[in-house]
Structure formats: C-alpha cells, structure tokens
Amino acid sequence: MGTYTVQVNKFTAVDESGIDWLGSDEPMWVFTANAGGKVRTTHSKEFGDVDSGDSVAFETADRRNTVWPAPRHAAGAAGPIGLSIQLWEMDQGDPDDVARRTKQALDLAQWAPVVGDWVAKARGVIQGSLIKLIQDDLMGSRTLFWSAATLARRLPRAGDNFSQKFRFSGNSGDLPFDVAGGPDYDLYVTVNRVG
C-alpha cells in the first residue's frame, strides 16, 4: 500500500473580488486535512496586495506547502485523501481566528471516521454553519476526495505524482450561492506518492 502527500504549489487571481481598480485582495487559504480519521486544520499566511492576473507561489522551504496528511509531513500517509480548502479575503480579520473557527466547524472525525463520509459531511457544514461563523469574506470552498483505488491507479509507483487545478469562486465547489464581487482564483495542487 502506498503513502501520499498533497502540496499546494501556487494560486492565480484570475479575477480578484470587487472592482479591480478599487483595491487589492488579501487572500488566505485554510486547509483541513483528514488522514485516517485524524483531522488537522492549518492556514497559509495572508498574501497582501493580490490583483487580477497575479500568480503567487507558496513557500516550499522545509515542505511548508505540504497540506496533507499534515503540514511539513515528508513520510506521507495511506489513502484515501480527504481535504477541505477555503479561500478567505481577510480585509482586517485575524487569520488565526478564521483557522480556529474553521477547525471547530470541520472537526467531524468523531461523527464520520471514514474519510469519504467526512468529505460528504464537510460540504454540508461549509454550506451551513461555517459561513455563519466567520465575518470575513469567504471567497470559495472546495472539499476534495481521492479514493485509495484512484490513488493506486494514478500513482502506481513511489515517486509518481499528478497535478490538478481547482477553481475557487463564489458559486463553485461547496458554496451554494454567488459571492458578491465574483472572485475567481485557481489553486494548483500536486498529489505525490512518497512510499
């Protein structure tokens, strides 16, 4: 059985929130990983002054861009992979508070120890209680799932990887409504087989 990691590489602000010439976005990413029933929530730094068309790379030193199974994890974990990602416009909010509240909302391991069940429940939490908990702008949300069979098929050998792009916008992924200002961000992730 293989072991895997997920890394975030970069994001592109295809269209920042609001009217472009009025100001820039200050995006922050929150990552909630479920690896074998253990749920961890972390967040990126707040990226300042992001405008439409900008691409920004995540810091890679010391594996800082590893978001599953745990931050900076090198050995990986067995699949399946469950990962919930939210994109926030911080304005004047507190990134640590947003991450803490997201963790509280998505700590579903005790209710859904099977990763696939957790992913299904996470989407409902985001659509309901998470949006009400935090006052900063939620610009997009996606809950991702790669089954053990998918991982084995796509990554048959240690050292294999694949990359995917995910669109985060007001009406994509987990959000049942259109976010005002119509932000569109693309997040680029890589799934690696490490063992």
Side-chain angles (χ1 to χ4, degrees):
M1 176 171 18
T3 56
Y4 307 92
T5 63
V6 178
Q7 296 174 313
V8 290
N9 303 313
K10 70 176 183 174
F11 65 88
T12 300
V14 177
D15 183 18
E16 68 184 281
S17 64
I19 300 170
D20 289 0
W21 56 268
L22 284 178
S24 301
D25 284 347
E26 286 71 43
M28 183 193 72
W29 299 86
V30 176
F31 307 97
T32 302
N34 185 330
K38 183 154 178 79
V39 179
R40 294 178 182 91
T41 298
T42 59
H43 65 86
S44 72
K45 69 177 187 176
E46 180 182 333
F47 296 91
D49 199 29
V50 175
D51 295 312
S52 294
D54 289 350
S55 286
V56 180
F58 288 91
E59 295 179 29
T60 60
D62 195 27
R63 293 180 294 282
R64 293 178 191 194
N65 62 330
T66 300
V67 296
W68 190 95
R72 301 180 181 194
H73 205 276
I81 295 173
L83 183 62
S84 187
I85 306 170
Q86 284 73 47
L87 171 62
W88 297 93
E89 162 63 348
M90 290 310 299
D91 291 328
Q92 297 175 8
D94 177 2
D96 291 327
D97 184 54
V98 169
R100 181 181 57 78
R101 290 175 184 243
T102 303
K103 179 185 182 330
Q104 288 173 342
L106 289 175
D107 189 10
L108 304 171
Q110 69 274 18
W111 300 327
V114 177
V115 175
D117 293 343
W118 178 87
V119 166
K121 289 185 180 295
R123 288 184 178 116
V125 168
I126 291 160
Q127 292 175 3
S129 60
L130 180 61
I131 292 166
K132 296 174 189 170
L133 283 176
I134 303 172
Q135 294 176 358
D136 288 298
D137 298 330
L138 178 59
M139 294 196 294
S141 177
R142 296 192 74 102
T143 303
L144 311 175
F145 179 68
W146 289 282
S147 70
T150 296
L151 293 168
R153 185 179 72 252
R154 293 190 72 179
L155 303 171
R157 293 172 299 284
D160 287 349
N161 66 65
F162 66 86
S163 296
Q164 279 188 256
K165 174 179 76 171
F166 295 96
R167 173 66 50 99
F168 286 74
S169 64
N171 58 3
S172 68
D174 300 332
L175 300 182
F177 57 86
D178 192 14
V179 172
D184 290 307
Y185 278 73
D186 288 337
L187 178 68
Y188 297 82
V189 304
T190 300
V191 180
N192 307 285
R193 179 166 176 180
V194 295

